[in-house]
Amino acid sequence: MSLAPAAHTPPAAVAHHDDAAASGIPNKKLFMWAFLASDCMFFGALISTHLIYRLHPPPGSPHPRDIFSIELTSFSTFILLMSSLLMAIAVNSIQKDQVRATRHNLLGTIFFGLIFLGCQVYEFRHFVHEKDLTLSNGIFGSTFYTLTGTHGCHVAIGVLWLILMYIRSFKPADPARPWLALAVAHFAIFLVAIIAGMAAVLGFVHAVEAHGLMGALVEFFNGNMVPFLVTLLALTGLAVFGRYTGPVDFGEPNAIDVESMGLYWHFVDIVWIVIFTAVYLMEYVP
Amino acid sequence: MDTTATPAPLPRPAAPPSPGYSPRAHPDYARTAERRPWFFTRPTAGTGLVSWLTTVDHKRIGILYGISALFFFLVGGVEALLIRIQLAVPNNTFLTHAAYNELFTMHATTMIFLAVMPLSTAAFNYIMPLQIGARDVAFPRLNGFAFWLFLAGAIVLNVGWFVRSGAPDVGWFGYAPLTSAAYSNQFRTDISTDLWIVGLQILGASSVIGSLNFIVTIINLRAPGMTMMRLPVFTWMTLITAFLIILSFPAITIALVELMMDRGFGANFFEVSNGGLPILWQHLFWIFGHPEVYILILPAMGIISEILPCFSRKPLFGYPIVVFSGACIGLLGFGVWSHHMFTTGMGTLATAAFSLATMAIAVPTGVKIFNWIGTLWGGHLMMRTPMMFALGFVWMFMIGGFSGIMHSAAPADSQQQDSYFVVAHFHYVLIGGSIFALLAGIHYWFPLVTGRLVDEFWGKLSFWVIFTGFNVTFFPMHFLGLNGMPRRTAVYDGNMGWNTPNFISTVGAFVLGIGIAIYFAALIRSYRKGPRVNRDPWDARTLEWSVASCPPPDYNFAVTPRVQARDAFWHEKRNTGHLPAHARQPAPAAEHAPGQTQTAHASHDVHGHGIHMPSQSWFPIVTALGILIGGLFMANHNYIGAIGGALLLFAGATLWAFEGPGGYHVFPEESNK
Ligand code: HEM
Ligand SMILES: [Cu+2]
């Protein structure tokens, strides 16, 4: 046996390698479907746990309707659903080899995912501090935080994954060109954007709580100027770094990566719809 | 050697030069002008430690699984012998109660998760891709990751032996509230239960990742013509097992997450005083636990379904029925979990329903046994060691199945529950079943993996000693159980009438231990000086034996096999009198671009270019190391450390993603010139 060097042609020539599969479904997609089947059982067990305890509340359990602020949760649910739309567009763009559009929509998905997470952080803090619902002071708190927290972890993992995908879309096609420093810089800016963005979202939600929407708009620019501006600055930074600087390694042949990520994201969304219905909305059924 | 039963030998082509693991020069990236930082430099050595730490070859990963599993099998065996010494005589003081609890917990956990499952996984890894004519699994780096994750979980479970609070001691079923903070966590000084929780979580992740990989591999990487109803039975059972794993492990994952929240963060899932329901633990555990026992037995059934036809020189009797009954067992396996909970007072309706469902599951199991007997019927039996173990399997698995049906009747079970009768049952299915089949499989595939045959004399001797020792150990337990001896008790009184059977049982355990020792000695001896085989020593039926040499070359097949029938290799040999084309012909050479995916492409030779092989990578092991470190800190309730581990995990996974699949090409034909 001998080993011989392979000839080099541009990566585009090896598009759809995955599609040679016996079933006609690309490996990565099949993998994701199977994983999601597994994840269904995972959330199924968690949601069942919540429902079992909700149906058998120990004496003295709080009434969830006194705790939830359904307006906020409805808003964040809406945002999460919209993020699925952006994700779908991102998949569509990469399939047409429109890298820039893909980037923008990935960024949008990340941004919406972060708003959802921000609302969840706010909700948790609010429930703990104002409504006295903690993980340990009752069974409702235990199941509520574990279930919604696990879902939040899924969203957070999705956001990280999207960020990495976004950064990867800058890797140049020409392997001789340096890009690692740029990727690291990207990631750092992302971190700034996330932290400042979270602070801004939390501040805004607090302000709406305290002063109503109109008052908040005024108040908001009093109290949350800094995180808001930093977020804007960071996002501008991303846009500046994201200029077109030559062909990239990440294009239509990688559509399957984006697509399977999209499957994950939509799944997490669907799970949230189930959780939102089973945990929140059901409480409002007379 | 007993060759009387072998038909006229086939004309064999001249032996190709043994490729072994030749140096892997020329990964694509090493030759490009790309500026790669040091951590992206991929190892290329074909031999040595680094090559094993960074391997992505399914055969090597299979070997790693096999060796680790055999090691833990020995560990579990020693634990078992210590337990049996303690129980040899009444009122024994050989072990403390605490040590006894640790031993039976770790014995079961080790045998199930660190011995039988990974041994099956070893076979999935090594054999399955070869059986379907693939070059590797669908995601080779992920496959390596699953192995290192397995090792991480095994370490976490076992570090307890070396720390003050001791090894886990809560039973392999971890019943809450025994596992809750109040009973097994002396204010966070006792981490043994946490080690158990974290270790199992890691092992679960490893199994799920591995199984996802196998599912994609079997569905997508089959050679042309290999339809689902032409899949070898072992591959079918791999597929069903993989589905069982991905669908049942989430239940225990959730149970463990909830327990972890209780223990680490003061949640109340299983805190009775705060409204927690301990029975929830049992449901979640057994929704996993019952499918788990089929996860342990289905691969064994697959192995047996390969060996019996091969050594009976007949096709498997009723192939479709064997496959469908396997699927049936898989489905029904999800509907019978509460037969482990008959004595918890579920109510008559639930009890009756689960009783019926459990009896129903015996039907497809029995069907399989009839198929195996039908395969033997009128066959030309070659009584070689793998066959002996396979026949032992059929016989003893039947006994285990019978006692299973006995306690599917709820009234009977309320007598047998938690007695030695149950211990006898599950050892008949687990040792007489799973372990016997795996021992048979090791003998059967040993020549494929090592290029050498195991010595028949020592093999058969080990079989008889194991067979005798096993029955002497576990048969008396049926009577002990019916006489009321409870399981999980370290000390019994001398006047209960349990003395003699217990003593016999301990003697049997040592005979069994000696048998296992002989078995291993035979393996080691044969590995070093067993007779060499070039290929196909059993005149076998399935594609893994059609490779050009034993052990197979890195790329498995120079030309992807074309499959025309079930038992493709056998048919080709019988119909044409010579080896099939793919086993002889070299691949045509041509040029090809570096791959975008990490798949080893089964179809490349169709287009006439070399074989694309995935490059080795450091990141699977680095990422798993992050999980190991994080897991150990997590068990120690050191959340800062746990976050540190998570960061390493994240870094490893990121670099993994950016590293790209890499790859290089081999052109095997030049070696044959
Ligand atoms: C004919 C098929 C089978 C039937 C009807 C059956 C039935 C049962 C029942 C009803 C129990 C609960 C007994 C009790 O705890 O009171 C049980 C326990 C058990 N079975 Fe089976 N079984 C079958 C096959 C298997 C197989 C194939 C395996 C594993 C390879 C297995 C492994 C076990 C184990 C490990 C336990 C004990 C679990 C524990 O309490 O720790 N069984 N079986
Ligand atoms: Cu069971």
Side-chain angles (χ1 to χ4, degrees):
Chain A
M1 187 180 78
S2 79
L3 303 168
H8 273 267
T9 48
V14 285
H16 301 307
H17 248 168
D18 249 5
D19 294 350
S23 70
I25 306 169
N27 289 345
K28 285 179 180 167
K29 201 169 181 176
L30 198 57
F31 185 94
M32 189 47 76
W33 280 116
F35 168 74
L36 295 181
S38 184
D39 227 24
C40 270
M41 301 297 284
F42 184 87
F43 278 110
L46 259 180
I47 295 172
S48 317
T49 302
H50 178 85
L51 291 180
I52 287 168
Y53 282 126
R54 186 65 198 101
L55 294 176
H56 302 277
S61 294
H63 198 286
R65 239 191 290 182
D66 301 335
I67 295 172
F68 292 157
S69 41
I70 193 72
E71 297 81 3
L72 177 67
T73 319
S74 306
F75 165 76
S76 67
T77 304
F78 176 74
I79 290 287
L80 195 63
L81 288 186
M82 289 306 107
S83 77
S84 249
L85 180 64
L86 294 182
M87 189 67 225
I89 301 177
V91 173
N92 200 312
S93 319
I94 190 89
Q95 282 168 345
K96 295 188 199 137
D97 209 11
Q98 299 164 346
V99 178
R100 267 167 59 87
T102 311
R103 279 184 200 154
H104 291 156
N105 286 294
L106 287 182
L107 208 55
T109 314
I110 295 168
F111 188 58
F112 278 21
L114 286 175
I115 294 182
F116 176 84
L117 284 177
C119 287
Q120 193 167 45
V121 171
Y122 168 80
E123 192 176 55
F124 280 18
R125 277 181 35 186
H126 182 71
F127 291 177
V128 169
H129 293 302
E130 254 121 86
K131 308 284 178 160
D132 197 27
L133 180 79
T134 67
L135 186 72
S136 48
N137 69 1
I139 196 78
F140 183 79
S142 300
T143 63
F144 173 80
Y145 288 119
T146 307
L147 172 56
T148 51
T150 307
H151 179 269
C153 281
H154 271 70
V155 177
I157 290 171
V159 166
L160 268 181
W161 183 357
L162 285 168
I163 292 178
L164 291 181
M165 194 165 267
Y166 177 83
I167 295 176
R168 198 176 143 201
S169 76
F170 290 93
K171 186 180 172 188
D174 174 5
R177 283 182 48 181
W179 62 280
L180 255 162
L182 199 71
V184 173
H186 247 111
F187 196 73
I189 300 178
F190 248 118
L191 281 186
V192 174
I194 287 173
I195 294 168
M198 287 293 213
V201 171
L202 290 185
F204 183 65
V205 177
H206 269 298
V208 174
E209 273 260 317
H211 311 279
L213 190 59
M214 277 329 279
L217 286 177
V218 181
E219 277 300 307
F220 173 64
F221 286 106
N222 290 336
N224 294 287
M225 208 56 182
V226 177
F228 183 73
L229 284 184
V230 173
T231 314
L232 272 189
L233 205 69
L235 289 177
T236 319
L238 281 178
V240 172
F241 269 124
R243 290 182 331 270
Y244 182 78
T245 49
V248 289
D249 186 38
F250 188 86
E252 193 264 335
N254 302 87
I256 186 63
D257 292 26
V258 186
E259 198 182 339
S260 38
M261 179 357 163
L263 288 177
Y264 173 86
W265 192 258
H266 300 321
F267 173 80
V268 171
D269 248 25
I270 293 170
V271 169
W272 180 254
I273 295 175
V274 176
I275 294 176
F276 184 58
T277 312
V279 176
Y280 292 84
L281 288 186
M282 295 272 259
E283 299 295 345
Y284 293 85
V285 175
Chain B
M1 264 170 52
D2 169 20
T3 47
T4 47
T6 318
L10 299 159
R12 297 278 155 92
S18 172
Y21 292 112
S22 42
R24 297 152 164 244
H26 310 301
D28 288 344
Y29 288 117
R31 285 172 295 99
T32 64
E34 185 180 11
R35 289 190 218 154
R36 309 211 103 209
W38 59 269
F39 51 80
F40 272 165
T41 312
R42 306 184 77 141
T44 56
T47 52
L49 184 64
V50 170
S51 74
W52 285 91
L53 296 181
T54 59
T55 185
V56 294
D57 177 357
H58 73 95
K59 299 182 284 303
R60 287 185 154 208
I61 293 170
I63 291 171
L64 288 172
Y65 264 114
I67 291 175
S68 341
L70 288 176
F71 170 76
F72 285 113
F73 180 51
L74 292 184
V75 172
V78 171
E79 286 160 355
L81 289 182
L82 293 175
I83 293 174
R84 269 328 308 175
I85 294 176
Q86 167 67 17
L87 295 177
V89 291
N91 297 315
N92 201 354
T93 53
F94 173 67
L95 295 172
T96 62
H97 288 256
Y100 187 87
N101 290 349
E102 291 177 15
L103 280 171
F104 82 69
T105 301
M106 285 308 290
H107 162 68
T109 309
T110 302
M111 284 301 193
I112 293 171
F113 296 104
L114 311 184
V116 175
M117 277 182 81
L119 257 183
S120 304
T121 312
F124 297 164
N125 258 303
Y126 202 105
I127 305 301
M128 179 271 286
L130 290 167
Q131 278 197 333
I132 62 174
R135 292 247 152 77
D136 205 324
V137 294
F139 302 97
R141 283 185 296 174
L142 205 61
N143 202 21
F145 179 57
F147 169 74
W148 297 112
L149 216 48
F150 155 71
L151 209 60
I155 292 172
V156 171
L157 276 173
N158 277 288
V159 289
W161 293 117
F162 309 102
V163 300
R164 193 168 48 88
S165 66
D169 57 357
V170 289
W172 84 280
F173 33 78
Y175 283 154
L178 191 66
T179 35
S180 66
Y183 296 95
S184 67
N185 178 11
Q186 266 68 54
F187 306 106
R188 302 214 173 153
T189 56
D190 178 359
I191 62 162
S192 56
T193 306
D194 301 285
L195 289 172
W196 182 79
I197 293 173
V198 173
L200 279 195
Q201 294 283 45
I202 299 178
L203 290 173
S206 157
S207 299
V208 170
I209 291 172
S211 301
L212 294 171
N213 211 340
F214 295 143
I215 289 174
V216 177
T217 306
I218 296 174
I219 293 182
N220 268 359
L221 299 191
R222 281 168 289 135
M226 173 80 77
T227 59
M228 289 308 268
M229 287 317 276
R230 288 178 186 165
L231 281 186
V233 180
F234 177 70
T235 298
W236 250 115
M237 295 305 131
T238 307
L239 183 64
I240 297 172
T241 308
F243 270 109
L244 283 182
I245 288 177
I246 66 163
L247 297 179
S248 72
F249 266 79
I252 193 180
T253 306
I254 290 303
L256 292 168
V257 164
E258 294 177 353
L259 191 56
M260 209 151 86
M261 298 306 275
D262 276 10
R263 292 176 59 87
F265 308 98
N268 305 296
F269 287 101
F270 307 116
E271 289 299 336
V272 186
S273 56
N274 284 337
L277 303 169
I279 199 77
L280 178 68
W281 172 270
Q282 293 207 21
H283 280 293
L284 288 176
F285 182 83
W286 287 114
I287 285 173
F288 148 80
H290 187 79
E292 170 68 16
V293 306
Y294 290 101
I295 292 167
L296 301 170
I297 201 67
L298 284 171
M301 292 175 159
I303 295 173
I304 295 304
S305 306
E306 299 292 341
I307 292 179
L308 290 180
C310 176
F311 290 84
S312 308
R313 329 235 34 85
K314 272 178 69 191
L316 180 68
F317 179 76
Y319 169 96
I321 299 178
V322 174
V323 168
F324 283 127
S325 61
C328 229
I329 291 176
L331 277 180
L332 279 175
F334 277 102
V336 300
W337 76 89
S338 282
H339 68 209
H340 296 269
M341 301 160 63
F342 282 149
T343 54
T344 55
M346 293 178 295
T348 40
L349 185 65
T351 304
F354 281 104
S355 204
L356 266 178
T358 305
M359 291 175 191
I361 211 167
V363 175
T365 313
V367 163
K368 283 204 148 137
I369 294 185
F370 282 118
N371 279 293
W372 291 325
I373 296 175
T375 307
L376 296 169
W377 197 281
H380 198 147
L381 307 191
M382 283 161 70
M383 289 309 234
R384 309 291 288 275
T385 312
M387 182 65 158
M388 307 283 281
F389 275 104
L391 292 177
F393 167 96
V394 176
W395 181 232
M396 284 184 296
F397 180 72
M398 230 150 63
I399 299 180
F402 288 149
S403 53
I405 303 172
M406 285 166 81
H407 38 235
S408 64
D413 184 68
S414 49
Q415 291 301 305
Q416 294 151 8
Q417 167 91 67
D418 282 344
S419 78
Y420 265 80
F421 192 85
V422 173
V423 178
H425 158 69
F426 63 69
H427 283 91
Y428 266 87
V429 281
L430 284 174
I431 301 183
S434 306
I435 296 282
F436 264 64
L438 289 165
L439 295 183
I442 292 175
H443 257 267
Y444 175 58
W445 282 309
F446 193 82
L448 181 70
V449 178
T450 63
R452 293 182 191 261
L453 276 175
V454 190
D455 188 279
E456 275 298 306
F457 171 77
W458 290 105
K460 282 199 177 116
L461 179 69
S462 71
F463 167 76
W464 284 113
V465 180
I466 291 174
F467 185 81
T468 313
F470 168 72
N471 282 292
V472 172
T473 312
F474 292 101
F475 206 75
M477 289 187 187
H478 290 109
F479 302 110
L480 273 175
L482 294 177
N483 285 336
M485 178 162 166
R487 63 195 275 218
R488 311 165 190 145
T489 325
V491 178
Y492 57 92
D493 209 61
N495 54 18
M496 306 293 286
W498 300 335
N499 301 3
T500 318
N502 264 311
F503 189 75
I504 295 177
S505 186
T506 300
V507 172
F510 276 88
V511 176
L512 178 57
I514 292 170
I516 299 287
I518 299 175
Y519 183 93
F520 276 104
L523 286 194
I524 294 170
R525 184 174 171 279
S526 309
Y527 177 68
R528 293 166 54 198
K529 46 185 172 202
R532 281 199 174 279
V533 283
N534 190 27
R535 51 192 295 174
D536 192 21
W538 316 117
D539 187 21
R541 325 176 62 80
T542 38
L543 285 181
E544 77 267 28
W545 295 104
S546 74
V547 289
S549 63
C550 298
D554 278 11
Y555 49 81
N556 292 354
F557 301 96
V559 178
T560 299
R562 296 290 123 84
V563 177
Q564 320 284 351
R566 213 172 275 160
D567 289 331
F569 185 44
W570 169 274
H571 275 282
E572 195 114 12
K573 287 189 289 188
R574 288 297 167 281
N575 295 344
T576 60
H578 54 71
L579 293 169
H582 72 262
R584 287 177 284 122
Q585 277 174 15
E591 293 197 331
H592 173 57
Q596 283 292 95
T597 74
Q598 41 182 315
T599 312
H601 306 293
S603 55
H604 269 196
D605 42 322
V606 186
H607 312 310
H609 36 56
I611 300 169
H612 177 206
M613 301 293 293
S615 304
Q616 298 165 33
S617 169
W618 277 109
F619 295 115
I621 191 171
V622 170
T623 311
L625 188 68
I627 293 192
L628 173 63
I629 294 172
L632 286 174
F633 279 117
M634 192 73 198
N636 213 357
H637 296 283
N638 179 335
Y639 301 116
I640 304 292
I643 290 175
L647 286 181
L648 181 56
L649 160 74
F650 177 69
T654 306
L655 293 177
W656 176 339
F658 282 93
E659 176 189 57
Y664 60 98
H665 290 90
V666 290
F667 296 88
E669 77 290 348
E670 290 170 32
S671 63
N672 293 349
K673 279 177 188 156

